[in-house]
Amino acid sequence: MEIHHPTPIPPAHTAPLMPVQPGGIPAVASVVLPDGRVVTGYAVTPVQPEPVTHKPPVSRAAVNIALGGVGFAAVCGGLFLLTAFITALTALITQLVILAAVIFGGWVAVQVFSASGHKGGTTVHIRKAVIKRNHFHT
């Protein structure tokens, strides 16, 4: 039976980066890797992400739909009042027509039933007439 013991890996020693010169072209930085290789290059600054715009907690479409519902409810109330007004106006006109018919009918009835006892006006007396050979003789 064989037993294998792992060998520890020594920690890597990296050379510190050289600071970037202010303004102009940045300085070249060199890094020494643990195996002895040297990597040389410019220090790259990380790209900053675009700032996220603040979004409202409620979408604009939802607000428009809600406002439309409130407006529709207000219009429905107005339409209900309008229909109630039209109904009342129709009832008033109907009652006025009935009242006019009763008054006019009463006036006609008075004229018809009181005509037999009425003595005024023009009276025409017709005597017995004889018609001979297209001549009218009285």
Side-chain angles (χ1 to χ4, degrees):
M1 175 183 257
E2 290 183 37
I3 299 177
H4 295 282
H5 294 287
T7 56
I9 298 175
H13 298 285
T14 58
L17 294 176
M18 298 183 69
V20 178
Q21 297 174 353
I25 301 173
V28 176
S30 296
V31 178
V32 179
L33 298 177
D35 59 357
R37 293 181 295 161
V38 177
V39 177
T40 305
Y42 294 105
V44 178
T45 58
V47 177
Q48 297 291 330
E50 294 182 15
V52 178
T53 59
H54 176 67
K55 292 185 179 181
V58 180
S59 71
R60 191 172 300 265
V63 170
N64 289 339
I65 290 171
L67 289 177
V70 170
F72 182 73
V75 168
C76 285
L79 289 177
F80 178 71
L81 290 177
L82 182 64
T83 55
F85 174 74
I86 291 172
T87 304
L89 187 63
T90 304
L92 175 67
I93 291 172
T94 304
Q95 289 177 358
L96 290 176
V97 167
I98 292 171
L99 179 64
V102 168
I103 291 174
F104 181 71
W107 180 78
V108 169
V110 167
Q111 296 302 316
V112 168
F113 291 125
S114 68
S116 60
H118 186 65
K119 301 297 183 190
T122 304
T123 302
V124 177
H125 296 285
I126 301 175
R127 292 185 283 165
K128 188 176 178 181
V130 178
I131 302 174
K132 287 184 180 181
R133 294 185 191 161
N134 296 331
H135 292 317
F136 182 74
H137 300 282
T138 58

